[in-house]
Amino acid sequence: MDKQHRRRRLLRLAPLLLLCLLASAELLSIGLQDCVEFDGDLEVGETLELSTDEAVWLHANTTWGPLYRAEVTGPDGAALEVWTVDFDSGSSSCWYLEEQLHQAEIEAGEASFEWLSDGYAAIQLSPPQPGVNSDFTVHVEELAAPPDDFMQVIPVIAHGSGAKSSFFRTDLWIFNPNDSSFWTEAVLAPSDGSGEVSTHFTLLSNQVTVFEDVVSSLFEREQTTGMLRIHHRWSSSDLLISSRTYNSSGHGTFGQYIPALGWREAAGRDRWHDIGLSRHLLHLAGPPDFRSNIGFAEVFGIDAELEIRFFDATGADVGGGELIVPASSHLQINDVFDHFALPTDGDLSAVVTVDGFGRVFSYASVLDNLSSDPIYVPGVAADNADSDLVIPAAATTDGAFGTSWRTDLRVLSMTGGASVMVSFIPTDGSGVLSRSFDFEGTGMLGIDNVVSELGGSGSGALLLEATHDMVATSRTYNTGDDGTFGQFVPASPAMSRLSFGSVAGIRRSEDYRSNVGMVWPNVSPHPFDMVVRLVDHRGHLLGSDRWRIEGPQHIQINDIFRALAVPRQDNCRVDFELVGRETNDDSGVTAYASIIDNRTGDAVYQPASSIPGSSSRPQLTYDIQLDNQQNCLLVDELPGAVGIDQLPSGTLSATVSGDGDIGSPDQPIHVVCLFEGADGLLQSAAVPVGGAIDGIAGGAPLWCLIPDWKGNGPNHGAVTVQISGGDQPIELQLDAQANAVRLDAYVETIVAEIPPAEAYRAEIVADGGSEHLRPKLLVMFDHKEQGGLRVESLDDGESVDLIDSTGKLLMVLLDWFNRDNHRGATNLEPTCTTRSMSCGESLAGNLSSTDCSTTPASDYWFGESITFEGSTGQTVSIVAEWRGNGGRLLLTDPEGTLRAVSADYYEEYESRIDNHVLTDPGTYTIWPITMRWQHQAVDYVVELSCVDP
């Protein structure tokens, strides 16, 4: 006991008083015997000495969450009881007993008890002989406090040598989907017990932070394995964290995906969440072809006692043992077949059970002995079992570079079911193949090359259906002379309802490519779409498109960068969003990515993770980015473009005449021309039939084309570009078929399914090799309100409004002759809708979640801007009337400085800025704004009145 905290208190004891103040008739339902009067308080960490001849109640000032131990000394035969208690809010002094946690007699002069606390506790001590004085000491101490709920754990990371001449390292990706940046702590707990190492860094809003070889780069450790904890208690939402631990050889990498998990997902006791004490490990394989390691990570902060048992295909127990995982540490047992002397004549499963109060993640890493390619097999809780499971990717097919792929399936029945129906949903839509498989006893069902066993071929997904709950795993791999390599693909419930999810670590380079896929295993009369967005690590939208989902169906998009016409990049993410699904549709969708090493062909499967705390797409803001070199098309090299390398001298103009469309009547022909302006700068213009171009510099080139996209049907008609103003007229003839350029057919263009915004603005950084050769941005889209095709040529700072977020947007940069010297990037970013008004006018408007968030207020507001011209000394008053919800008014001066703010919108549905005196002449801006989380339209009317000085 802690003598420094010892205190002596002689308690004046009285019999247990049954006092409850009955303030209302409802309190009569609480029996008087439930109320308890405490005879003293017991502080955590202190020791209380007392002497009593009657039963006494002590109030332990424990808090919610920690693990506590009560230690009592006293005479043998004395009784000890520990209860949870709560305070009756309807009474002024009634504490009542809720649940008895422990009851025992003191033996050999002492007794102790440990419990997980859900608040205050009551401890009763009763002498062995009533009326005879007995001496007691009571000490309560906190053994471990639960981690912060925002803590996430990667059970194992590594940098160091392994068996069979392997060398493993870990790359880490962290996506912060929140609206704000925040400080984060990372803690490495090494397996060798050498002591934790911590570091701190900042995660920027809506960005992916990457740590390659994280053990070495972030923690500066070598030859180290261990557990990684990420603490981000200042976040209002979880992070999406993933990692890849891989063996690096001279010819590429072989790796395994290891996800981050919330600490409450670990096995162990929990009074508030039904998470279970056991975890099941499938797919364990042994010599001579494989070796299996099993690891554990304790996350509550107390030594964990474990029992591990291994079972063969019949369910027979073939070995195991007990072990202790020290508090907040990582432990890995290598080659469990050798360590536990297990039989090697078949695959095994294991059950890991936690005793005591530790909380433990368990996993297996199964490695091919020739290639040292690992798969990470997480421990699965019985709570996660289901009678309908999906394996999102499976195959029996030949692949690139002479590879041959197959899938092995492992299924474990949790309730002793006799059989399981396995169905193959092929990617090519050729029809579902099904077959029933019987379990052998109570063990794990193993089906090697399962697609072939079903009579199928190619790639697809698996659906598992049974009358009982199951857990399942699979491995899809290639077999070669140097062993096998592949990816672990877990099963997930078929009725999962992914609405918005992400995968970080998507890449395309000389060494890697990335595929993405989706599976919908159900039959439903309500098809819907999956929007797939490719986003770089800074939050820039690189490209996107939508795929129609009908069922049952498996879709895999090989090389998502090429499919979306995006140049090579590392450390990107892909977002999946369901749109158009009926709210009463019980269909489930599983989405994933597969990152493949081009040198080895090894693939790593990563499931899409839902954005925490959101059932739909959160308030994420994307801007769309083009690379000024890689995304630039040279007009003079495009088939179908027509032009002249040297125009006549003088200042020229051009008109467009004719008629036609590019596949449908609502897509009339536009002509895009690239030329040098009278100011000597590169210019472009998108002109409809009947339009004109002025200010064309003579003596320079001019090239024109008919921009086309989608390929909805055959083009019709022709147009003429008539150039005048020089010493001789020039006509360029463009046929709607021969001179139309399908811009979306070129690799270095972008077709994007964009997030909603009322306006987008071009921002062109750097140039095309010199200041006067800035690439020109061409944008094509379906107009949201007017209907039909819009073609816009934008310069730096120019905006385009009312882009239809449900249609497609095509962006491309145009230049001529040479793009080798291009630098920088061009962004199309959401911007604010801007309108103008004058003194004495009123203006109506509507705010919605598509309005911009780049207002002078914080990120938690969105709004619109209204400009007016003001003069020095002018007094202005601004009134906004709100309908449906409230808002605020802001006023900024011509320099953009905030000058006035209305009262808080919660107070009334009218906001006012009264009698504000303008200090400078120029353009002032009124900002009607409302809170972002309202997610509903807000109508307003703004009235501006002015008094001249």
Side-chain angles (χ1 to χ4, degrees):
M1 295 183 183
D2 189 348
K3 301 297 185 181
Q4 293 181 352
H5 294 289
R6 179 178 295 274
R7 61 189 173 96
R8 183 174 185 83
R9 180 186 295 171
L10 182 61
L11 297 178
R12 179 183 174 186
L13 301 177
L16 181 63
L17 300 179
L18 306 178
L19 299 177
C20 285
L21 299 178
L22 305 180
S24 64
E26 288 79 1
L27 292 180
L28 291 174
S29 62
I30 302 176
L32 291 178
Q33 69 274 15
D34 292 330
C35 289
V36 58
E37 180 181 4
F38 289 106
D39 301 291
D41 290 330
L42 181 61
E43 300 296 333
V44 175
E46 297 184 357
T47 298
L48 177 67
E49 296 181 351
L50 59 93
S51 181
T52 181
D53 61 358
E54 296 288 343
V56 59
W57 282 101
L58 303 176
H59 185 270
N61 289 316
T62 52
T63 60
W64 188 93
L67 175 67
Y68 292 100
R69 175 189 290 137
E71 297 177 329
V72 180
T73 65
D76 289 355
L80 164 70
E81 293 184 23
V82 182
W83 291 74
T84 63
V85 293
D86 202 355
F87 189 74
D88 176 20
S89 59
S91 172
S92 61
S93 62
C94 181
W95 285 93
Y96 60 93
L97 306 177
E98 284 193 310
E99 177 186 358
Q100 188 178 65
L101 300 176
H102 185 62
Q103 183 178 22
E105 288 189 356
I106 294 178
E107 298 180 0
E110 62 182 23
S112 65
F113 175 64
E114 296 176 1
W115 76 96
L116 286 169
S117 175
D118 60 358
Y120 295 121
I123 299 176
Q124 185 190 57
L125 301 176
S126 300
Q129 298 180 16
V132 178
N133 214 47
S134 297
D135 295 327
F136 294 93
T137 66
V138 185
H139 178 79
V140 173
E141 62 177 330
E142 179 182 299
L143 298 181
D148 190 283
D149 278 344
F150 293 127
M151 184 186 84
Q152 289 177 265
V153 179
I154 295 180
V156 60
I157 61 175
H159 176 98
S161 301
K164 310 291 183 179
S165 301
S166 58
F167 190 94
F168 289 91
R169 52 173 56 90
T170 299
D171 294 343
L172 175 70
W173 295 270
I174 306 176
F175 171 39
N176 173 18
N178 299 286
D179 291 332
S180 58
S181 304
F182 52 86
W183 175 82
T184 305
E185 181 184 20
V187 179
L188 170 65
S191 308
D192 60 10
S194 58
E196 294 183 349
V197 184
S198 66
T199 188
H200 302 88
F201 49 86
T202 298
L203 296 174
L204 299 179
S205 172
N206 197 32
Q207 295 199 16
V208 176
T209 301
V210 184
F211 297 100
E212 295 184 354
D213 195 3
V214 61
V215 174
S216 177
S217 63
L218 189 60
F219 296 102
E220 299 180 348
R221 296 288 294 262
E222 306 293 330
Q223 293 298 325
T224 299
T225 61
M227 168 180 58
L228 178 66
R229 304 196 304 268
I230 305 291
H231 299 265
H232 47 103
R233 61 182 64 92
W234 292 273
S235 169
S236 61
S237 175
D238 279 341
L239 305 172
L240 295 185
I241 305 174
S242 61
S243 72
R244 178 177 182 248
T245 295
Y246 55 94
N247 171 38
S248 181
S249 69
H251 305 291
T253 63
F254 298 95
Q256 56 188 345
Y257 162 75
I258 303 179
L261 303 166
W263 74 271
R264 290 192 181 278
E265 297 178 60
R269 295 186 185 178
D270 194 318
R271 286 174 52 79
W272 311 277
H273 302 86
D274 185 17
I275 49 85
L277 299 176
S278 298
R279 294 293 183 267
H280 297 267
L281 294 169
L282 283 66
H283 236 112
L284 304 181
D289 297 327
F290 295 91
R291 61 188 187 274
S292 293
N293 308 327
I294 293 184
F296 312 94
E298 202 287 320
V299 296
F300 192 81
I302 190 168
D303 291 355
E305 302 172 11
L306 303 180
E307 181 183 26
I308 181 169
R309 305 305 305 175
F310 297 89
F311 302 91
D312 66 14
T314 68
D317 187 330
V318 295
E322 297 177 350
L323 63 148
I324 294 178
V325 182
S328 302
S329 72
H330 172 259
L331 173 67
Q332 182 166 299
I333 299 175
N334 293 331
D335 196 350
V336 294
F337 280 78
D338 178 68
H339 183 88
F340 291 102
L342 302 174
T344 61
D345 55 351
D347 290 351
L348 304 181
S349 64
V351 177
V352 179
T353 303
V354 179
D355 193 14
F357 291 96
R359 295 291 293 271
V360 178
F361 285 110
S362 55
Y363 67 88
S365 184
V366 183
L367 301 93
D368 185 286
N369 275 331
L370 290 179
S371 68
S372 285
D373 176 49
I375 59 170
Y376 175 84
V377 182
V380 181
D383 303 3
N384 294 329
D386 203 288
S387 60
D388 296 286
L389 299 173
V390 169
I391 302 286
T396 293
T397 186
D398 293 333
F401 307 105
T403 54
S404 180
W405 296 89
R406 55 184 281 176
T407 297
D408 293 348
L409 176 67
R410 302 291 182 263
V411 187
L412 184 66
S413 172
M414 306 305 295
T415 54
S419 63
V420 56
M421 179 68 69
V422 181
S423 301
F424 176 59
I425 306 171
T427 309
D428 62 11
S430 57
V432 176
L433 301 172
S434 301
R435 177 181 161 188
S436 179
F437 292 87
D438 294 330
F439 288 93
E440 182 182 354
T442 60
M444 179 180 65
L445 171 64
I447 310 172
D448 289 342
N449 201 3
V450 59
V451 176
S452 180
E453 287 291 318
L454 292 170
S457 62
S459 62
L462 298 176
L463 174 63
L464 281 59
E465 300 170 288
T467 58
H468 50 85
D469 285 345
M470 308 167 288
V471 295
T473 62
S474 73
R475 180 177 183 244
T476 297
Y477 59 95
N478 172 67
T479 302
D481 294 338
D482 297 325
T484 66
F485 55 85
Q487 56 190 343
F488 172 82
V489 182
S492 59
M495 304 308 290
S496 61
R497 295 179 63 89
L498 175 73
S499 294
F500 188 97
S502 296
V503 178
I506 303 297
R507 62 206 312 189
R508 183 192 183 201
S509 65
E510 291 184 359
D511 296 334
Y512 294 95
R513 67 187 186 275
S514 299
N515 304 333
V516 301
M518 300 152 273
V519 57
W520 183 35
N522 307 294
V523 177
S524 171
H526 306 295
F528 50 91
D529 289 346
M530 177 74 84
V531 176
V532 180
R533 297 187 177 100
L534 185 60
V535 185
D536 77 2
H537 71 279
R538 294 162 297 180
H540 298 301
L541 179 63
L542 301 173
S544 62
D545 210 338
R546 63 171 60 199
W547 279 263
R548 173 61 76 176
I549 304 290
E550 299 175 344
Q553 189 172 6
H554 176 265
I555 297 173
Q556 181 159 303
I557 308 158
N558 293 329
D559 196 345
I560 185 63
F561 284 80
R562 181 174 293 275
L564 297 179
V566 176
R568 293 173 174 174
Q569 290 200 47
D570 262 347
N571 302 322
C572 298
R573 77 174 198 264
V574 63
D575 293 343
F576 301 88
E577 181 182 8
L578 285 184
V579 294
R581 183 170 62 181
E582 297 286 336
T583 56
N584 60 351
D585 190 347
D586 290 332
S587 59
V589 173
T590 303
Y592 64 89
S594 183
I595 296 90
I596 304 106
D597 188 307
N598 290 331
R599 298 157 296 180
T600 63
D602 182 47
V604 174
Y605 172 91
Q606 293 193 42
S609 300
S610 297
I611 299 293
S614 176
S615 60
S616 61
R617 183 177 65 83
Q619 292 287 338
L620 298 179
T621 299
Y622 300 93
D623 61 336
I624 308 168
Q625 185 177 79
L626 299 177
D627 183 275
N628 283 354
Q629 184 175 100
Q630 296 189 71
N631 290 115
C632 190
L633 295 181
L634 301 182
V635 176
D636 54 316
E637 294 183 357
L638 292 174
V642 297
I644 184 169
D645 287 335
Q646 186 172 356
L647 293 168
S649 60
T651 300
L652 312 178
S653 62
T655 59
V656 179
S657 61
D659 192 15
D661 61 64
I662 55 170
S664 62
D666 65 342
Q667 296 185 342
I669 286 179
H670 287 66
V671 174
V672 172
C673 293
L674 197 66
F675 55 93
E676 184 178 303
D679 54 6
L681 301 179
L682 181 65
Q683 301 289 341
S684 66
V687 186
V689 173
I693 307 171
D694 295 320
I696 301 172
L702 178 141
W703 284 81
C704 299
L705 59 88
I706 296 174
D708 196 359
W709 71 339
K710 294 185 180 179
N712 289 336
N715 297 355
H716 304 92
V719 294
T720 299
V721 178
Q722 178 99 28
I723 303 170
S724 59
D727 54 4
Q728 56 182 345
I730 296 177
E731 289 187 354
L732 298 178
Q733 302 290 334
L734 289 93
D735 180 81
Q737 193 78 26
N739 299 113
V741 179
R742 279 287 306 272
L743 295 176
D744 57 334
Y746 286 84
V747 172
E748 308 305 346
T749 66
I750 285 184
V751 176
E753 186 76 30
I754 64 172
E758 291 189 349
Y760 276 81
R761 179 182 60 210
E763 180 187 41
I764 303 175
V765 181
D767 52 51
S770 63
E771 186 176 349
H772 73 283
L773 286 177
R774 180 169 299 196
K776 312 309 293 184
L777 176 62
L778 177 67
V779 178
M780 299 176 64
F781 61 95
D782 289 321
H783 198 283
K784 184 175 182 180
E785 291 186 349
Q786 298 175 2
L789 178 67
R790 284 275 295 273
V791 182
E792 300 281 350
S793 177
L794 301 179
D795 205 344
D796 185 35
E798 293 182 341
S799 299
V800 59
D801 64 346
L802 298 173
I803 292 176
D804 184 357
S805 64
T806 63
K808 288 193 174 181
L809 167 76
L810 185 146
M811 291 173 55
V812 63
L813 294 170
L814 301 179
D815 201 351
W816 50 23
F817 303 122
N818 187 351
R819 63 184 175 196
D820 293 341
N821 296 323
H822 289 195
R823 299 171 296 175
T826 294
N827 289 353
L828 194 64
E829 57 188 18
T831 188
C832 298
T833 300
T834 301
R835 296 177 293 164
S836 62
M837 67 185 306
S838 301
C839 294
E841 291 185 346
S842 63
L843 191 63
N846 173 274
L847 299 180
S848 69
S849 59
T850 62
D851 283 291
C852 70
S853 60
T854 55
T855 70
S858 68
D859 290 340
Y860 300 107
W861 301 78
F862 58 81
E864 297 177 345
S865 59
I866 303 171
T867 61
F868 68 92
E869 297 301 317
S871 59
T872 302
Q874 196 174 36
T875 300
V876 299
S877 294
I878 310 164
V879 179
E881 293 184 1
W882 305 95
R883 297 181 179 88
N885 249 309
R888 274 185 173 178
L889 285 174
L890 311 178
L891 178 65
T892 57
D893 65 16
E895 300 298 323
T897 303
L898 184 63
R899 291 299 185 186
V901 181
S902 68
D904 195 311
Y905 80 96
Y906 286 113
E907 297 178 359
E908 53 190 7
Y909 285 94
E910 180 181 273
S911 302
R912 305 182 65 92
I913 295 175
D914 289 322
N915 301 321
H916 180 80
V917 180
L918 306 183
T919 57
D920 298 292
T923 302
Y924 286 77
T925 304
I926 302 167
W927 295 87
I929 61 174
T930 192
M931 298 295 285
R932 289 185 66 178
W933 54 66
Q934 292 181 163
H935 302 299
Q936 58 195 62
V938 180
D939 295 323
Y940 67 87
V941 176
V942 169
E943 182 177 339
L944 172 65
S945 58
C946 310
V947 178
D948 293 334

